[in-house]
Amino acid sequence: MKKLTEFIPLFTGFSTALLLVAAMAQPAVAGGVAGGTKTCNSWLDGVFTFETAPVHKKCWGGWDGCLTSISRLYHTSVNYAVIDFREPGFEGNVSVAVLSNDSRLGPPTTATAIGAKKLGMLPNGAGLTNWYIPFTGLKPEHYYTVVIYSPDPGYGIHKPFSRQCFLTTKHPDDCPEDAYRSRDGTKRC
């Protein structure tokens, strides 16, 4: 009986640690960090977003899904990388576009897509990669969504394979003097 009573506190401590690790491993809820990626819910007063939840493909556990990355996010531009993108059971055209996700710019439509760019033709079982997809013409401190989708019949820009939301940074003139600066000296906040 003594061994059992000694074992119970150890098991309880282990269970608590396991629960903490599991909680940390959970994906971020929609909303994310203001000014960062995954920002599907508006943090700005008087502004609402149309897409309120991201759509993510499985992007871990090897190369069986995809790796996507928003990088070099500025007040008027963003770079997007799509690495080894796969869509099981799908063969056809794949494109990437940036859509407005901000009530100040109106609802997102195919006609208002910002710089839709073709990734290529996806043969079943193969992958598509484009490390550098630049999008420009964005407005400072506005919400957008980057989508990977097929323009083929039955799919479309509003049925994306992947959707990631982001908020552009403020205009450099609106940043304090001690704000973070990029390599070229541009203030970013």
Side-chain angles (χ1 to χ4, degrees):
M1 188 67 176
K2 183 180 177 189
K3 287 187 180 182
L4 181 60
T5 55
E6 288 175 359
F7 178 72
I8 289 173
L10 289 174
F11 180 74
T12 306
F14 177 74
S15 300
T16 304
L18 193 59
L19 286 172
L20 286 172
V21 169
M24 288 188 293
Q26 295 302 312
V29 283
V33 177
T37 57
K38 299 181 184 173
T39 309
C40 284
N41 293 327
S42 175
W43 292 51
L44 301 178
D45 290 338
V47 178
F48 67 87
T49 48
F50 295 93
E51 303 286 0
T52 57
V55 171
H56 292 294
K57 287 183 62 57
K58 182 180 179 183
C59 291
W60 52 85
W63 296 96
D64 57 348
C66 67
L67 293 172
T68 60
S69 174
I70 289 176
S71 63
R72 295 187 186 167
L73 177 59
Y74 292 99
H75 61 288
T76 58
S77 65
V78 66
N79 288 350
Y80 192 64
V82 179
I83 302 109
D84 200 48
F85 178 82
R86 297 167 190 271
E87 185 61 35
F90 173 79
E91 292 186 40
N93 295 300
V94 180
S95 295
V96 180
V98 170
L99 301 175
S100 163
N101 191 23
D102 194 302
S103 57
R104 294 168 291 180
L105 299 172
T109 65
T110 304
T112 59
I114 297 166
K117 301 178 191 235
K118 188 172 182 179
L119 261 179
M121 188 80 157
L122 189 67
N124 195 11
L128 292 170
T129 296
N130 191 327
W131 286 86
Y132 182 80
I133 309 170
F135 293 97
T136 58
L138 310 179
K139 292 188 177 290
E141 207 170 11
H142 278 66
Y143 294 100
Y144 293 93
T145 302
V146 62
V147 293
I148 303 174
Y149 69 101
S150 172
D152 295 347
Y155 293 92
I157 207 163
H158 289 293
K159 294 180 183 177
F161 300 135
S162 175
R163 177 172 61 228
Q164 194 170 2
C165 307
F166 64 94
L167 174 64
T168 53
T169 61
K170 292 181 180 181
H171 192 281
D173 292 345
D174 296 331
C175 295
E177 248 344 281
D178 62 348
Y180 168 80
R181 291 179 186 264
S182 55
R183 288 183 183 174
D184 63 4
T186 305
K187 289 187 289 184
R188 293 176 62 192
C189 63

